[in-house]
Amino acid sequence: MGDNNVNLPPGFRFYPTDEELVVHFLHRKASLLPCHPDVIPDLEVYPYDPWELDGRALAEGNQWYYYSRRTQNRVTGNGYWKPTGIEEPVVSSTSNKRVGMKKYFVFHVGEAPAAGIKTNWIMQEYRLSDSSSSTRSSKRKSQPKIVSIHIFIHNQEAHQT
């Protein structure tokens, strides 16, 4: 059910690297360029609890991928996404330059900030780095700041940073 909106060939697997997510998907999306194949849907993710996301996008194992607007309010109907660790750079393998940033969040059931119970749901948020957004034309400069890619992962192990 997760890939019902995408017509992909048999055996297709979607396991992009951090660099591929930023350069080949997020950068193109922020620049209003087409992505082929179009496998990552747009979804305002924060009204949804993570267990409600299954079936709304292409899934690979226990991961779901979405484009969404970045927001400071990461609250859902039953909980909130709490940041964990520090923001990590996504570096180009060819130029060794930073092309984006990656941040981890863990879902907590309950009310923020102290009353929540930590779950095994992890979200990775990717965004373009400020330096990569300035390389585009001025009419598109503001677009990269509002778009991000979110990967939701349901793990039995908690992410350690």
Side-chain angles (χ1 to χ4, degrees):
M1 184 172 173
D3 59 359
N4 61 351
N5 61 344
V6 180
N7 188 14
L8 298 173
F12 177 85
R13 300 291 181 264
F14 190 66
Y15 293 109
T17 64
D18 291 350
E19 178 185 4
E20 289 166 340
L21 281 171
V22 172
V23 173
H24 298 290
F25 290 94
L26 186 54
H27 193 271
R28 292 185 67 78
K29 178 74 168 180
S31 299
L32 304 176
L33 298 171
C35 294
H36 298 289
D38 187 12
V39 294
I40 303 176
D42 292 293
L43 181 70
E44 292 301 324
V45 296
Y46 295 113
Y48 297 101
D49 292 314
W51 51 86
E52 296 175 312
L53 296 173
D54 189 16
R56 297 182 186 273
L58 176 70
E60 280 295 338
N62 62 348
Q63 298 184 16
W64 297 269
Y65 297 79
Y66 302 95
Y67 289 113
S68 186
R69 293 186 181 273
R70 290 183 58 221
T71 179
Q72 294 300 316
N73 182 12
R74 294 181 175 93
V75 176
T76 72
N78 291 304
Y80 59 97
W81 291 97
K82 183 177 179 180
T84 181
I86 60 170
E87 209 170 26
E88 302 172 7
V90 176
V91 179
S92 168
S93 59
T94 56
S95 68
N96 209 29
K97 292 184 179 179
R98 186 178 71 189
V99 293
M101 299 299 290
K102 175 181 175 178
K103 180 109 179 113
Y104 288 92
F105 296 82
V106 175
F107 190 73
H108 289 72
V109 175
E111 292 190 26
I117 299 167
K118 184 177 177 180
T119 70
N120 55 0
W121 284 95
I122 298 168
M123 176 177 66
Q124 298 171 18
E125 180 180 84
Y126 293 83
R127 67 173 178 85
L128 295 175
S129 65
D130 294 334
S131 61
S132 67
S133 65
S134 63
T135 61
R136 286 284 159 202
S137 65
S138 60
K139 66 182 175 184
R140 293 181 177 164
K141 256 187 194 176
S142 62
Q143 190 68 13
K145 295 178 182 170
I146 62 170
V147 161
S148 59
I149 290 179
H150 292 97
I151 301 173
F152 294 87
I153 304 168
H154 187 230
N155 271 359
Q156 297 305 321
E157 306 168 13
H159 171 73
Q160 301 295 322
T161 54

